[in-house]
């Protein structure tokens, strides 16, 4: 069954531009017919955002926060429709979609409503000098998001950018337009002022994404995606010195010390390696395990990888999902073959599962556990973004930290140890924006979120988001 997806500009559906098909990662079948926004359509969307921006910015912040809460309420009212749209595009399990992807959409709007409404203004007082700051929105913001957590990542940007007084043009990934199409309909349903939220669909370079970020009417760009795409976008907006917020790739390390609760470390690593089919920027692709427990840890992790269930998305006990596309599936398999060539030992997986049904037309790969490669191998250095990790033994804490930090990326890391002092010491030594200790992907939405090195520029979350989406003016008065 295919479903036509149009743009959403100035509060109305716009069915303009050539169309392209999207595919169901479970079966490879056609899911949607999507309109691709050309320059003229992008121009219309930016103009609609520009026209709406002064009125939206003039609203008291409490009113904009109220609009965020209404969007959250409407998301919850149309919860199952959003779940179905996300699953149709991604093939992810209904359990994950219902417990993470869609609930976080409502939570993102709610949390930024509260953070913005409660944020105090800043004032500074000397003996005869009073200074205070006022913050004004950036204007029109381009929001570009990837395919792995489509609704979660889009709303993570839409919430704070809108509540700060900007108007926006969102471009979801060409692979996953569905949930943003529903959100556009929700915006119309709740009566969000036309032009505040606009959604255009299409591809990246040479298409909608590039036209949008480079549009002279766009004041800032917030982007989540591959590091090399971030670099391309940065070059494209450099002439106009546009502010950019980048959440990019990762090659995340997990450090497992011999003093750890082994059950917790194994189960936690199963989650951090294989959640969402390993298609989460925070997933662990490099595990470093203290030598005395290395063999037992690898054996248990490999066994658990083999127990992951390739059910259908609607099966509540499904724990392994397909890759988003044939192209991405082939990229992951290329790394499996490269690992073989580099001399890796396959402790689990390495191939393609066969089902004997329509899923053989989908984009599945086996969850894979590798050992035996040097830190210099491409498998240990390049982001694969699939259900795969490489496990390396270490002998000292200093060695483990050095191995973890030997990467061009610096997004996230996990530390598994029962010693509190070691947990703090190691976490503070890791070159990463996010470190989880004895857990993974536990989130407080008020905290700064983002990475260093090739993993990004800036932080999202809490007041960090509000700071990016607004500019302060400092006013100083002689008393
Ligand atoms: N750091 C984070 O928070 C985070 C979160 C999720 C995913 N990611 C990263 O995203 C990547 C996977 O997502 P992806 O394959 O969709 O990434 P991608 O960079 O290929 O595409 C991301 C988005 O950018 C658009 N795009 C591509 N080229 C563009 C260009 N030249 N100008 C404007 N827009 C362009 C795409 O159409 C898509 O909407 C992985 O590297 C993953 O690590 C990072
Ligand atoms: O794939 C990357 C996941 C990013 C997650 C978030 O930005 C979040 O949980 O706020």
């Amino acid at each position: 069954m295919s479903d036509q997806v149009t743009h959403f500009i100035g509060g109305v559906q716009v069915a303009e531009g050539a169309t392209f098909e999207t595919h169901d990662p479970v079966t490879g079948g056609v899911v949607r017919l999507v309109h691709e926004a050309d320059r003229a359509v992008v121009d219309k969307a930016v103009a609609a955002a520009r026209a709406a921006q002064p009125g939206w910015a003039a609203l008291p912040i409490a009113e904009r926060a109220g609009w965020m809460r209404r969007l959250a309420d409407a998301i919850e009212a149309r919860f199952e429709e959003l779940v179905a749209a996300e699953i149709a595009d991604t093939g992810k399990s209904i359990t994950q979609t219902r417990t993470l992807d869609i609930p976080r959409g409502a939570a993102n709007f709610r949390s930024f409503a509260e953070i913005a409404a409660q944020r105090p203004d800043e004032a500074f007082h000397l003996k005869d000098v009073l200074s205070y700051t006022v913050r004004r929105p950036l204007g029109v913001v381009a929001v570009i998001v990837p395919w792995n957590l489509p609704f979660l990542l889009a709303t993570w940007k839409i919430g704070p950018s809108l509540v700060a007084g900007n108007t926006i043009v969102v471009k979801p990934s060409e692979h996953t337009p569905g949930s943003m199409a529903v959100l556009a309909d929700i915006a119309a349903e709740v009566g969000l002022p036309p032009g505040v939220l606009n959604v255009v669909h299409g591809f990246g370079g040479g298409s909608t994404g590039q036209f949008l970020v480079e549009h002279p009417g766009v004041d800032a760009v917030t982007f989540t995606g591959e590091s090399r795409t971030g670099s391309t976008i940065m070059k494209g907006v450099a002439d106009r010195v546009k502010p950019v917020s980048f959440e990019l790739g990762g090659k995340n390390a997990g450090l497992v010390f011999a003093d750890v609760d082994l059950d917790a470390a194994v189960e936690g690593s199963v989650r951090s390696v294989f959640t969402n089919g390993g298609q989460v920027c925070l997933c662990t692709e490099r595990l470093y395990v203290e030598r005395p427990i290395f063999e037992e840890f690898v054996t248990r992790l490999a066994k658990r990888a083999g127990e992951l269930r390739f059910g259908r998305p609607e099966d509540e006990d499904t724990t392994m999902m397909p890759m988003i596309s044939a192209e991405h599936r082939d990229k992951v398999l290329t790394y499996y073959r490269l690992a073989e060539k580099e001399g890796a030992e396959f402790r689990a997986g390495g191939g393609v599962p066969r089902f004997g049904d329509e899923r053989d037309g989908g984009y599945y790969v086996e969850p894979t556990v590798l050992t035996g490669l040097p830190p210099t191998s491409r498998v240990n250095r390049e982001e694969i973004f699939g259900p795969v990790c490489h496990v390396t033994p270490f002998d000292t804490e200093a060695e483990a930290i050095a191995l973890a930090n030997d990467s061009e990326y610096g997004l996230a890391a996990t530390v598994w140890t029962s010693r509190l002092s070691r947990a703090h010491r190691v976490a503070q030594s890791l070159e990463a924006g996010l470190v989880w200790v004895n857990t993974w992907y536990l989130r407080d939405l008020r905290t700064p979120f983002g990475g260093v090195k090739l993993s990004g520029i800036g932080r999202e979350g809490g007041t960090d988001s509000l700071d990016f989406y607004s500019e302060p003016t400092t006013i100083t008065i002689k008393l």
Side-chain angles (χ1 to χ4, degrees):
M1 182 273 282
S2 72
D3 172 17
Q4 184 162 129
V5 177
T6 61
H7 313 297
F8 179 72
I9 298 174
V12 296
Q13 304 292 342
V14 172
E16 288 181 21
T19 57
F20 62 93
E21 290 177 342
T22 66
H23 294 87
D24 176 356
V26 176
T27 65
V30 173
V31 175
R32 302 184 198 282
L33 205 56
V34 188
H35 284 273
E36 178 183 2
D38 59 13
R39 286 185 191 278
V41 173
V42 168
D43 207 39
K44 274 184 192 168
V46 173
R50 179 62 61 194
Q53 204 269 331
W56 179 249
L59 291 179
I61 196 142
E63 272 194 49
R64 292 200 298 267
W67 278 111
M68 300 303 105
R69 294 188 197 98
R70 278 193 282 281
L71 287 169
D73 292 345
I75 285 168
E76 287 165 351
R78 294 176 63 170
F79 188 85
E80 290 305 329
E81 184 184 355
L82 283 160
V83 167
E86 201 78 319
I87 290 173
D89 284 343
T90 61
K92 57 179 75 190
S93 74
I94 195 160
T95 302
Q96 179 190 312
T97 311
R98 278 184 177 155
T99 56
L100 173 65
D101 295 73
I102 306 308
R104 263 296 302 276
N108 289 343
F109 281 113
R110 290 218 164 84
S111 68
F112 284 109
E114 298 325 309
I115 292 163
Q118 292 162 18
R119 185 181 196 182
D121 292 327
E122 287 180 301
F124 309 81
H125 179 213
L126 293 172
K127 183 170 171 296
D128 58 352
V129 177
L130 172 66
S131 299
Y132 67 98
T133 61
V134 290
R135 301 194 77 89
R136 56 171 57 85
L138 302 175
V140 173
V141 178
V143 177
I144 311 274
V145 286
W147 47 258
N148 62 316
L149 301 172
F151 194 67
L152 186 157
L153 290 170
T155 52
W156 181 236
K157 296 173 183 294
I158 295 170
S161 57
L162 291 186
V163 81
N166 304 283
T167 53
I168 62 177
V169 182
V170 182
K171 195 206 78 70
S173 170
E174 53 275 23
H175 298 291
T176 53
S179 54
M180 268 308 103
V182 177
L183 184 68
D185 196 51
I186 285 172
E189 177 196 328
V190 302
L192 190 69
V196 168
L197 166 66
N198 303 279
V199 181
V200 293
H201 297 281
F203 301 87
S207 179
T208 314
Q210 182 178 347
F211 304 157
L212 179 58
V213 297
E214 295 179 4
H215 193 289
V218 164
D219 297 303
V221 176
T222 179
F223 167 75
T224 295
E226 291 200 11
S227 299
R228 64 163 178 264
T229 307
S231 172
T232 301
I233 290 173
M234 206 166 178
K235 288 173 193 152
V237 302
D239 289 352
R240 292 177 178 272
V241 195
K242 293 183 186 179
V244 293
S245 167
F246 282 166
E247 297 292 345
L248 306 179
K251 189 65 179 182
N252 306 313
L255 280 60
V256 183
F257 291 91
D259 57 43
V260 75
D261 170 346
L262 196 51
D263 290 340
V266 169
E267 284 313 310
S269 298
V270 169
R271 279 190 63 233
S272 78
V273 174
F274 300 114
T275 294
N276 208 51
Q279 299 168 118
V280 180
C281 60
L282 306 166
C283 277
T284 303
E285 293 195 5
R286 298 182 289 145
L287 274 162
Y288 301 100
V289 178
E290 198 166 3
R291 202 174 296 276
I293 61 165
F294 175 79
E295 189 47 42
E296 186 179 354
F297 179 91
V298 172
T299 301
R300 288 174 62 172
L301 182 67
K303 180 173 181 294
R304 293 286 292 108
E307 292 167 350
L308 294 170
R309 283 186 46 75
F310 281 102
R312 285 173 171 72
E314 62 273 18
D315 300 337
E316 302 215 340
D317 57 357
T318 293
T319 50
M320 182 45 64
M321 65 185 273
M323 300 300 96
I324 190 66
S325 65
E327 181 195 16
H328 187 59
R329 182 254 340 261
D330 294 345
K331 170 189 168 184
V332 174
L333 291 175
T334 301
Y335 279 97
Y336 287 12
R337 302 293 67 83
L338 177 65
E340 230 165 20
K341 200 159 139 257
E342 290 183 328
E345 185 182 353
F346 284 73
R347 304 292 295 268
V352 175
R354 283 287 163 233
F355 304 105
D357 57 34
E358 76 281 8
R359 288 174 297 166
D360 288 338
Y363 313 135
Y364 290 90
V365 298
E366 290 176 341
T368 296
V369 176
L370 305 167
T371 60
L373 293 177
T376 52
S377 68
R378 287 181 55 198
V379 164
N380 270 324
R381 303 204 68 77
E382 298 172 14
E383 179 182 61
I384 302 171
F385 213 60
V388 54
C389 67
H390 181 275
V391 195
T392 303
F394 69 83
D395 296 301
T396 68
E397 184 179 295
E399 181 192 3
I401 291 169
L403 284 165
N405 287 339
D406 178 22
S407 173
E408 293 179 294
Y409 294 98
L411 183 55
T414 52
V415 178
W416 301 90
T417 178
S418 59
R419 285 169 49 187
L420 192 57
S421 57
R422 166 174 275 164
H424 288 287
R425 186 172 59 244
V426 172
Q428 292 176 26
S429 307
L430 294 175
E431 295 166 3
L434 303 152
V435 181
W436 281 285
V437 176
N438 297 334
T439 186
W440 177 72
Y441 200 33
L442 192 55
R443 293 279 287 114
D444 177 337
L445 304 186
R446 298 168 300 174
T447 55
F449 181 102
V452 300
K453 301 192 232 181
L454 281 181
S455 292
I457 294 176
R459 293 295 184 276
E460 296 185 309
T463 54
D464 290 81
S465 290
L466 300 182
D467 286 350
F468 174 73
Y469 292 114
S470 62
E471 292 284 5
T473 297
T474 299
I475 298 164
T476 299
I477 302 172
K478 182 151 177 44
L479 301 178

